[in-house]
Amino acid sequence: MKRRTWLAVGSVVLGGSVVTTVAVTATSGTSGEQARGEGMRPVAAYTETFQGGDPGKRSVPRKDTRPFSMLGVSWEDPEAELDGTAQIRTRSAETGQWTRWQDLDLDIRPPETDEGDDSGVRGASEPLWVGTSDGVEARVMADGGESAELPGGLRLVMIDPGILGEDIGKGWRKVGDMSGGGNSQEPSQQPSTEPEPEPEPSQGEPSTEPSASAPATEDPEPSPEPSQQPTTEAPTGEPTGEPSPGPSTEPTGEPSTEPTGEPSGEPSIEPTGEPSPEPSTEPAPTGEPTGEPSPEPSTEPTQSPTTGPSTEPTGEPSTTAPAPSPSGTQAPRIVSRAQWGADESLVEDPPSYLSRVDAVFVHHTAGTNDYTCAQSASIIRGILTYHVKTNGWNDVGYNFFVDKCGTIFEGRAGGVDKAVQGAHTYGFNGYSAGVSLLGNYEDGGRPTQAALDAIARISGWKLGLYGADPAGKVTLTAAADTGVWKKGERATLYRISGHRDGYATLCPGANLYSQLPAIRTKAAASS
């Protein structure tokens, strides 16, 4: 049994119920004592138990809570499906207003690898980012009438991503050097004496919906959420520590949630084949993106020839990383785990390595598009804590994250230039890497051009390390029944595919999925 040790802060009574609070330690290099002494707050996770005598209906009555910004629902049996709906509503810590009821996505599965067999693994919804909140209400209902039953051990899990780093005023907080994330192709080899240029915001229609994640202005404790708008006192992008000499899992400086140039409001544009307005050093595409959706997944194996070899399982993953092939493609700038504030004490087991990476699956986090890019690090810290504390996985499932400003973040530990096995695409984790775009691109949200360019950069570079053509196809063998493919069935997929191509899900959302042909074209041109 994998041992999971948590620092129990205690139990508090909120709204007449007992809430057990569990806090994880502060980020690498920052002790809990330092965090408390300097106004910082470590990441925390705490739960509420669902109530009710009806086997097909459970609820958490409306109540006050400690501050949180992310939440989800979990249950005891990881193989059990919650056949029904799980809905939540939250109260903004800033305005005191309650949100409408929101559905949680329930199409997440534990990995088919050994990691999914751990005794601490639970079933769970996708986590939902809701912004700084201090009240919650939840309800879960099974489909199928009076005889329907819900899984046992239902819990509502709330995550506080904490406050890390130094306060630099006006709500902005800095954990390390995250400047230029969307523009630079490669980490600087020498410390720079000039600030990195910030990417220009993508032009699009601003969102008409008010933000649910603005900072609380009346809370005596510093808000964990950055200001919605940059000010003259905002960071300039000047490095605050030694830049990384290249992709690495070693800390590259003091962690930072410094913004990289967020769009003004919610971006909503149709990406085109024209070059991105941001300065870039990557080669231009060799062809115009088609914008046509890639073929819908089929339950029958494709018989047509492919541009890549048939790939059979390559044996058990190893704890030793094989050396990737030399690549002529310049590594994109990637914000390290230390920079976004990963708590490495959560990760107990060493990473598992594949022999190579044959495909990249593109995901969305299915949360909200109503976030600022200065909040991206907080969102990723929340997802890491949720995947480990709630799902019971060893680490965050995705290998990389991208935000709407085009910043690329290191996901699962083990080395960005290594074939680290993730937990992102059920049935195909043994061959691939996973890249997840922060936001929801199924219900009207549209990816920015900066985000699409970043997905193409990281996907093309990753596949290029193993000599794979980002625009080509590969035949993989499904390691489990996925709702699209049967276990043992040979699936011919694009090297850059959507999550829905391998598993029965809406991920990565229709508006991101339709851009995969353009992403493949640009990835191939840059690799």
Side-chain angles (χ1 to χ4, degrees), residues 429-449:
N429 288 306
Y431 315 99
S432 63
V435 178
S436 191
L437 178 58
L438 301 183
N440 188 328
Y441 301 97
E442 178 64 26
D443 301 321
R446 295 185 181 279
T448 64
Q449 188 65 52

Side-chain angles (χ1 to χ4, degrees), residues 2 39 85 98 105 213 233 243 312 317 333 362 447 464 495 498 504 514 521:
K2 183 181 293 181
T85 58
W98 285 86
D105 286 339
S213 56
E233 298 182 41
E312 297 296 338
R333 180 181 291 277
V362 177
R495 295 275 188 183
S514 66
T521 298

